[in-house]
Amino acid sequence: QKEVEQDPGPLSVPEGAIVSLNCTYSNSAFQYFMWYRQYSRKGPELLMYTYSSGNKEDGRFTAQVDKSSKYISLFIRDSQPSDSATYLCAMNPFGNEKLTFGTGTRLTIIP
Amino acid sequence: DSGVTQTPKHLITATGQRVTLRCSPRSGDLSVYWYQQSLDQGLQFLIQYYNGEERAKGNILERFSAQQFPDLHSELNLSSLELGDSALYFCASSVDGRPNTEAFFGQGTRLTVV
């Protein structure tokens, strides 16, 4: 079993819809949680970062962490065609710098 | 543009060969990470260096080695290449390598082993 599980999709939604992306994990030592966006033929870029449980909002993006359920989510409001990309969750334990990534969810926003 | 430069962008080589991938971190960044991205395994952490010293190691094969030089650029050496080594190899850099510090990724080197 992988430490981090992420539905690979693909996920297609109409423009303007709310998108929900999720990851589950098994390692209770994970403390730092990130979401990366990766466009085709590009490297991943950091979207959101949260520490421990709770919510964090940044513009149209909201990240949620539920450590009791070992479940993290990324919500995208008012989705735009430019949001079409692969979204990767990533996490690591406190004091350990290596990131463990999910396999990514491929998202397409249909105009 | 993240500021992290990887060369070459594409590499095609035969099984059994050895290749070197190069990474120049963002100006001022002391920590460099190497990741392998394949279709079936996703993005896998290989190794991290901080200011020339190895800091963390992931699932890096013994056939693979890396180093970070005094000018902070890094090289990933892959030897005795196998078909299964075909993947995208990413380098990332961060200022201090701490878990809560953003790492910036380069555009990757696509390695094809034939």
Side-chain angles (χ1 to χ4, degrees), chain B residues 10-88:
Chain B
H10 301 278
L11 199 48
I12 301 175
T13 190
T15 54
Q17 295 298 305
R18 172 189 168 94
V19 296
T20 297
L21 312 184
R22 183 188 168 98
C23 170
S24 295
R26 292 188 323 152
S27 176
D29 284 359
L30 297 178
S31 194
V32 169
Y33 310 76
W34 285 98
Y35 287 86
Q36 179 192 58
Q37 188 174 40
S38 59
L39 281 174
D40 56 342
Q41 292 292 323
L43 205 57
Q44 300 275 313
F45 169 75
L46 294 178
I47 198 163
Q48 180 198 3
Y49 283 84
Y50 175 78
N51 205 20
E53 299 290 325
E54 182 184 306
R55 173 169 275 191
K57 211 166 187 176
N59 298 324
I60 187 166
L61 298 173
E62 284 192 15
R63 300 184 286 109
F64 296 1
S65 64
Q67 55 183 325
Q68 186 179 27
F69 294 88
D71 67 352
L72 301 177
H73 92 271
S74 179
E75 292 181 355
L76 179 67
N77 300 296
L78 314 176
S79 61
S80 302
L81 284 167
E82 302 175 358
L83 295 177
D85 298 327
S86 296
L88 263 173

Side-chain angles (χ1 to χ4, degrees), chain A residues 2 32 34 36 38 41-46 49 88 92-103, chain B residues 10 33 35 37 40-43 45 48 55-58 90 97-100 102-103 105-107 110:
Chain A
K2 291 183 178 178
Y32 293 87
M34 294 110 176
Y36 281 80
Q38 186 175 19
R41 299 182 182 280
K42 300 285 187 184
E45 57 177 332
L46 183 65
Y49 147 72
L88 301 139
N92 62 8
F94 182 81
N96 181 337
E97 291 83 352
K98 75 169 191 176
L99 281 173
T100 301
F101 281 83
T103 49
Chain B
H10 301 278
Y33 310 76
Y35 287 86
Q37 188 174 40
D40 56 342
Q41 292 292 323
L43 205 57
F45 169 75
Q48 180 198 3
R55 173 169 275 191
K57 211 166 187 176
F90 285 104
R98 289 183 174 181
N100 59 340
E102 181 174 357
F105 283 75
Q107 295 209 2
R110 183 173 294 277

Side-chain angles (χ1 to χ4, degrees), chain A residues 12-30:
Chain A
S12 294
V13 299
E15 183 177 354
I18 296 174
V19 177
S20 171
L21 303 167
N22 311 293
C23 287
T24 59
Y25 62 95
S26 58
N27 188 345
S28 57
F30 287 139

